[in-house]
Amino acid sequence: MKENPMFTLVIGNKNYSSWSLRPWLVLKMLDEPFNEQLIPLDRPDTKSRLLAVSPAGKVPVLFDGKVRVWDSLAICEYLAECFPAARLWPEDSAERALARAVAAEMHSGFTALRQHLPMDIVARHEDFVVPEAAAADIRRIVEMWEELLHRHQDNGPFLFGHFTIADAMYAPVVTRFVSYGVELPPRSEIYADHILELPAMQQWYDDAEAEMAAAGG
C-alpha cells in the first residue's frame, strides 16, 4: 500500500448513491489504494460542498493529481486507461465494443427502474409490486445478462468472463433486485450472488449499514 494514495474519490451516501458505487468498485477490484471522501447528500450544505469539488455539482468525482474527472463512466474509462493490464474492457475489439454498449445502456437508460426501484442498500421491500415500465427495464437487463453469461460462461463468472466496467455498471442493479425482491432466472441469480459476495461489495454493504445506523435509519 502506498503511504500517499494516487487517487481521491469523492462519493455520496453508500446506502443510496448508485453512481458512487460504480467507480468505487472498480478501484477496489484494481486493489488500488485511494482516499475516499464522502459528502452526505441530504444536508443543507450538500450543494455547496458538491460544487466545490465538481462543476456538475454531483458525485462521484475522481482526483488524480491535477486531473479531475466527474461522471461514473468517465471515471471508469480513465481508470481503464491508467491500468490497461487490468483489462477493465475486453481485449478483443468486438467484445470491447459490446461491453461499452452494455455499460452505456445502463449509463443512459433504465429510467423507470431508477425511478421506481431506487438503490436503498438496507431496505427490504416485501411484496413490492414492480410497475410495468420498470418491469420492462428488468426484462431487458435480465435478457442482456443471460445472453452475456451464456456467451462467456467458459471464461469466468462475470458478464464478459473476467471483471470489467460492465459489471461495475450493473452492480447497483444487483442491490436493487435484493432490496425489492426481484426474482431472477438461475443463471442471472448465480451472477447476482457472485457480485454480492465480492469482498468489496461486502464492505460497501457493511459501510452502508453503519451509515444508516449512525443516522438512526
Side-chain angles (χ1 to χ4, degrees), residues 39-139:
I39 297 178
L41 301 179
D42 55 356
R43 306 284 176 81
D45 64 344
T46 294
K47 192 63 176 180
S48 62
R49 291 183 65 185
L50 291 175
L51 286 170
V53 297
S54 169
K58 298 178 180 180
V59 286
V61 186
L62 181 77
F63 289 90
D64 177 14
K66 294 182 179 180
V67 175
R68 176 175 62 176
V69 188
W70 60 96
D71 180 89
S72 290
L73 187 53
I75 293 170
C76 293
E77 289 273 15
Y78 181 75
L79 293 172
E81 293 179 355
C82 289
F83 302 97
R87 299 189 303 154
L88 290 174
W89 291 124
E91 294 174 309
D92 177 79
S93 61
E95 288 291 287
R96 188 165 61 250
L98 177 59
R100 281 195 161 108
V102 166
E105 186 172 355
M106 181 70 250
H107 188 259
S108 62
F110 305 119
T111 54
L113 178 72
R114 302 181 200 279
Q115 177 184 355
H116 296 290
L117 286 75
M119 191 171 93
D120 190 346
I121 293 288
V122 304
R124 296 296 180 269
H125 299 278
E126 296 181 4
D127 302 320
F128 180 78
V129 178
V130 179
E132 177 51 35
D137 283 351
I138 291 170
R139 288 193 294 271

